[in-house]
Amino acid sequence: MRADFINPFLKACLNVLTTMAHIQAVPGKPYTKQEKLAEGDVTGMIGLVGNKAKGSMAITFSESSILYIASKMLGEQQVQLDETIADLVGEITNMVTGGAKKELTDNGYKFEMAIPSTIMGRKHVTSHSTKAPIIVVPFSTEEGDFFLEVCMEE
Amino acid sequence: MRADFINPFLKACLNVLTTMAHIQAVPGKPYTKQEKLAEGDVTGMIGLVGNKAKGSMAITFSESSILYIASKMLGEQQVQLDETIADLVGEITNMVTGGAKKELTDNGYKFEMAIPSTIMGRKHVTSHSTKAPIIVVPFSTEEGDFFLEVCMEE
């Protein structure tokens, strides 16, 4: 995967959290996922199919981070992982991918988005069936961390 | 989603299990997922983007069913959910979608597959962010059940 694929996702993620939740998440240094397994409590996932590449994007949240983000987005304290949270994670996944899509299209990478899915379950792990590198961006918030993962096969 | 979308997935799933694992899984009656949450221990998921529709397919296995299937496919007793199982579920997801794709293409529904992802975690639940119906086919094996879910937005 070209390194310039990841930046539009990173920026879109920051942008969604700033505008929708008034949260300034702090991105860490992107790295290549070596072990295939990242752990989280809620994951939003979406498939991407483009003219030059196909791929998959996942955002994996700890319970504390998504309850914090959801509380700020919905203006109401969220205390448990339920359907409201699943819907919201689907929306976040859609908005982040939509934002990245716009910038990538401007750069000549046109792709279409499949339907976002959400997985909830304590300490689940995700992996992607690809030989392409999986780029991970860790983010921290005041109430815990989350991870953005993108893999694209050219 | 047109009902005739689901049959190619159902047939491909039976075909993969018969040829790769020599297992005759028994499909139950397909139904529309009303509650968004289905429970399982390992899920393979893939995004689909076509000329007439976009969607998402998920196969959610109980631990007992996937260990049984994996043991038969690999010719060696599998006793825990590990990376071998994650890889295998990614492969199964790919093969089922590839088989369905062939038949759907013959029927005029051309689509491209994104990259399969696998989620492992006890009793996780999956949901799809769509207003389109989600069609579920339950399957039973000698060692437990699994579920095929397909949603397509036209």
Side-chain angles (χ1 to χ4, degrees):
Chain A
M1 188 177 81
R2 292 165 58 101
D4 60 354
F5 271 173
I6 195 71
N7 284 329
F9 289 96
L10 192 162
K11 282 160 61 182
C13 190
L14 289 175
N15 189 37
V16 166
L17 291 181
T18 310
T19 55
M20 306 297 289
H22 307 290
I23 287 176
Q24 300 288 345
V26 179
K29 197 171 163 10
Y31 58 89
T32 306
K33 197 176 185 177
Q34 298 293 344
E35 293 151 45
K36 295 172 83 178
L37 310 177
E39 201 175 271
D41 304 311
V42 191
T43 295
M45 204 171 256
I46 191 164
L48 311 168
V49 174
N51 56 342
K52 296 182 188 169
K54 64 178 183 173
S56 161
M57 189 207 72
I59 314 182
T60 297
F61 298 91
S62 63
E63 178 171 354
S64 60
S65 69
I66 193 59
L67 290 179
Y68 173 61
I69 291 166
S71 298
K72 296 277 253 177
M73 280 179 85
L74 301 172
E76 194 172 292
Q77 194 68 25
Q78 301 297 312
V79 295
Q80 61 177 349
L81 302 182
D82 56 15
E83 273 200 44
T84 303
I85 302 294
D87 287 346
L88 197 78
V89 168
E91 260 184 67
I92 292 173
T93 305
N94 232 345
M95 287 187 289
V96 170
T97 316
K101 177 180 165 154
K102 194 172 175 312
E103 183 167 341
L104 285 165
T105 302
D106 293 344
N107 297 343
Y109 290 96
K110 200 177 156 207
F111 65 83
E112 297 303 321
M113 294 153 58
I115 291 178
S117 303
T118 304
I119 301 96
M120 287 205 295
R122 270 183 210 286
K123 296 188 183 301
H124 64 258
V125 292
T126 63
S127 55
H128 308 276
S129 300
T130 178
K131 294 207 176 359
I134 299 157
I135 309 291
V136 183
V137 188
F139 288 85
S140 54
T141 74
E142 282 172 40
E143 302 285 345
D145 300 336
F146 66 93
F147 299 87
L148 174 73
E149 295 181 4
V150 182
C151 60
M152 295 293 269
E153 285 176 11
E154 285 194 83
Chain B
M1 189 177 80
R2 291 166 59 99
D4 60 355
F5 271 174
I6 194 71
N7 284 331
F9 288 97
L10 192 163
K11 281 161 61 181
C13 191
L14 289 175
N15 189 37
V16 166
L17 291 181
T18 309
T19 54
M20 305 298 289
H22 307 289
I23 288 175
Q24 301 288 346
V26 180
K29 197 170 161 14
Y31 57 89
T32 305
K33 196 175 185 178
Q34 298 296 342
E35 293 150 46
K36 294 172 82 176
L37 308 177
E39 200 174 271
D41 304 311
V42 190
T43 295
M45 204 172 256
I46 191 163
L48 310 168
V49 175
N51 57 342
K52 295 183 187 167
K54 64 178 183 173
S56 161
M57 190 207 72
I59 313 181
T60 297
F61 298 92
S62 63
E63 178 171 352
S64 60
S65 69
I66 192 60
L67 290 179
Y68 173 59
I69 291 165
S71 298
K72 296 276 251 176
M73 281 179 85
L74 300 173
E76 193 172 293
Q77 194 68 24
Q78 302 296 313
V79 294
Q80 60 178 350
L81 302 181
D82 55 15
E83 273 200 44
T84 302
I85 303 295
D87 287 346
L88 197 78
V89 169
E91 260 184 67
I92 292 172
T93 305
N94 232 344
M95 287 186 289
V96 170
T97 317
K101 176 180 166 156
K102 194 172 175 310
E103 183 167 343
L104 285 166
T105 301
D106 292 344
N107 297 343
Y109 291 96
K110 202 178 156 205
F111 64 83
E112 297 302 322
M113 295 154 58
I115 291 177
S117 304
T118 304
I119 300 96
M120 287 206 294
R122 270 182 210 286
K123 296 188 183 299
H124 64 259
V125 292
T126 62
S127 55
H128 307 276
S129 300
T130 179
K131 294 207 179 355
I134 298 158
I135 309 291
V136 184
V137 187
F139 289 85
S140 55
T141 75
E142 283 173 40
E143 302 283 346
D145 301 336
F146 65 94
F147 300 87
L148 175 73
E149 294 181 6
V150 181
C151 61
M152 295 294 269
E153 285 176 10
E154 284 193 81

